[in-house]
Amino acid sequence: MGDSAGLQFVSSYAFEAMQKVDVVRLAALSDPELRLLLPCLVRMALCAPADQSQSWAQDKKLILRLLSGVEAVNSIVALLSVDFHALEQDARKEQQLRHKAGGSNAESILVSQLQHGLTLEFEHSDPLRRLRLTLSELLAIMNKVADSNGEFFLKSSELFESPVYLEEVADVLCILQAVVYSTLSCS
């Protein structure tokens, strides 16, 4: 596991184990290394697999054993239990609204008026609201990039820069990329 100024990165060993779905190698990972892969592992364990073989059934049992007892798994399961179809439709409406408004953050389909700051709102939100807050912030940044015409700019983000919520926001981003990927394409 790589570490740079407090940030953790997936090691090449863990990446290869995940890429090959090598559950024996995954089981050998340390807790911090496994934590970085949790959103992917939970999604693999919960989603209906294309592979219906007996070997995958055995591998899935081992993955479930790896996940049992890991505290963050419950919050990831909750994130995966929302209506992603409706979320993606709202995200597309948000993109259209931002495009029409020239990138203005005045109105939002995904997020109504915030009662507190973005990070405090994130902390007190249910899983769907966390997904919506994160997606709205991400779409605002993507819109700013699209409007920058290749010019350098600095866009701060209270949510993405908060070290307190880094793991949880990373979980949300990982899930969003997996389930609403067409909305998040960078093309």
Side-chain angles (χ1 to χ4, degrees):
M1 175 179 63
D3 192 353
S4 174
L7 295 177
Q8 299 173 347
F9 303 97
V10 175
S11 68
S12 58
Y13 180 86
F15 181 84
E16 188 175 328
M18 193 69 188
Q19 187 178 37
K20 294 179 179 179
V21 193
D22 185 339
V23 292
V24 173
R25 287 175 73 180
L26 288 169
L29 296 176
S30 67
D31 287 346
E33 286 180 307
L34 198 59
R35 175 61 184 94
L36 298 173
L37 303 174
L38 279 184
C40 298
L41 290 170
V42 171
R43 191 164 182 271
M44 278 181 9
L46 292 181
C47 293
D51 183 354
Q52 298 290 328
S53 69
Q54 185 63 30
S55 66
W56 171 246
Q58 292 302 313
D59 288 349
K60 186 174 176 177
K61 285 180 187 177
L62 185 53
I63 290 171
L64 288 169
R65 259 190 247 124
L66 280 172
L67 297 175
S68 68
V70 178
E71 188 176 328
V73 168
N74 291 333
S75 64
I76 295 170
V77 168
L79 288 169
L80 287 166
S81 301
V82 303
D83 180 1
F84 286 105
H85 180 69
L87 181 65
E88 188 164 21
Q89 286 179 328
D90 286 349
R92 288 186 184 174
K93 289 176 190 173
E94 174 105 357
Q95 284 177 315
Q96 291 170 351
L97 181 67
R98 287 181 188 276
H99 184 69
K100 286 180 187 175
S104 168
N105 290 340
E107 293 183 48
S108 175
I109 304 282
L110 291 167
V111 179
S112 58
Q113 292 295 325
L114 298 177
Q115 299 299 318
H116 311 334
L118 191 56
T119 54
L120 194 56
E121 196 78 28
F122 184 84
E123 178 182 353
H124 294 280
S125 294
D126 64 8
L128 178 59
R129 180 107 168 124
R130 284 181 173 209
L131 287 160
R132 294 173 84 77
L133 289 166
T134 306
L135 186 55
S136 179
E137 186 75 356
L138 186 58
L139 290 174
I141 292 170
M142 289 173 64
N143 193 58
K144 180 83 171 160
V145 169
D147 291 344
S148 72
N149 296 323
E151 294 178 27
F152 178 79
F153 68 92
L154 184 61
K155 168 89 170 84
S156 65
S157 170
E158 178 186 355
L159 183 61
F160 295 151
E161 295 171 7
S162 173
V164 175
Y165 302 108
L166 184 61
E167 284 184 346
E168 294 170 63
V169 170
D171 292 342
V172 171
L173 287 170
C174 184
I175 290 166
L176 286 171
Q177 184 58 44
V179 295
V180 293
Y181 56 88
S182 63
T183 305
L184 300 178
S185 68
C186 293
S187 55

